[in-house]
Amino acid sequence: NAGVTQTPKFQVLKTGQSMTLQCAQDMNHNSMYWYRQDPGMGLRLIYYSASEGTTDKGEVPNGYNVSRLNKREFSLRLESAAPSQTSVYFCASSGAGGGYTFGSGTRLTVV
Amino acid sequence: AQSVTQLGSHVSVSEGALVLLRCNYSSSVPPYLFWYVQYPNQGLQLLLKYTSAATLVKGINGFEAEFKKSETSFHLTKPSAHMSDAAEYFCAVTPRYNAGNMLTFGGGTRLMVKP
């Protein structure tokens, strides 16, 4: 099925550990995004990439880094995980006209 | 800066009753507007979108929404709720001229459907 693929689906980290969340889309979309979802707060933008080769900070970028590896792939890295980063992370992509296609999410717990 | 407000974090209706989920936006220029649905443990799925064509937009699963510029609203409705409609619903907005197509989401409304 065409769409956005995120890995892993679940992850438990210890405080201070690092990890990279992977995201790939096969719809030839220019723009890609990373959001986090927390109860009662909706989705908050962490980083986005308007096109291949560019990345920009969103609303809550602290503690994260991203890489737009190519047009298909956009990864999110936590260098030193903190309990406050326990959340569900969603990758999305969009083409012309707006409207996102979302991945199924990564549920991250930092203990 | 644009923002979107969803009134009511939880809405409960009986099966067969009207569903009304409220969304108001704040933007100097009428934006593009979207409704997404999220079923448990899944990602968000596009229900419908308004991009300045007809103000009454029909989406999937019998949902529709009406853009009202004078009220800065984009409320989501469905005439008759079904048990399978139980989910969380998100309203989102993006400026018309936005190179990054970034969406700003409301806080979400959890819809519960009683038998």
Side-chain angles (χ1 to χ4, degrees), chain A residues 31 33 35 37 40-43 45 48 50 90 94-105 107, chain B residues 32 34 36 38 41-46 49 51 88 90 94 99-108:
Chain A
S31 302
Y33 316 83
Y35 283 85
Q37 183 180 27
M41 304 188 74
L43 280 79
L45 182 65
Y48 69 99
F90 287 100
S94 73
Y100 288 6
T101 300
F102 282 86
S104 58
R107 190 173 296 272
Chain B
Y32 294 155
F34 306 82
Y36 285 84
Q38 183 181 31
N41 300 315
Q42 295 187 27
L44 279 72
Q45 178 184 1
L46 181 66
K49 64 180 179 181
T51 56
E88 189 153 22
F90 292 93
T94 188
N101 290 327
M102 287 175 291
L103 288 178
T104 299
F105 287 87

Side-chain angles (χ1 to χ4, degrees), chain A residues 77-111:
Chain A
R77 183 162 178 82
L78 287 70
E79 290 290 352
S80 179
S84 61
Q85 294 178 304
T86 293
S87 187
V88 181
Y89 292 85
F90 287 100
C91 178
S93 69
S94 73
Y100 288 6
T101 300
F102 282 86
S104 58
T106 296
R107 190 173 296 272
L108 175 67
T109 302
V110 183
V111 298

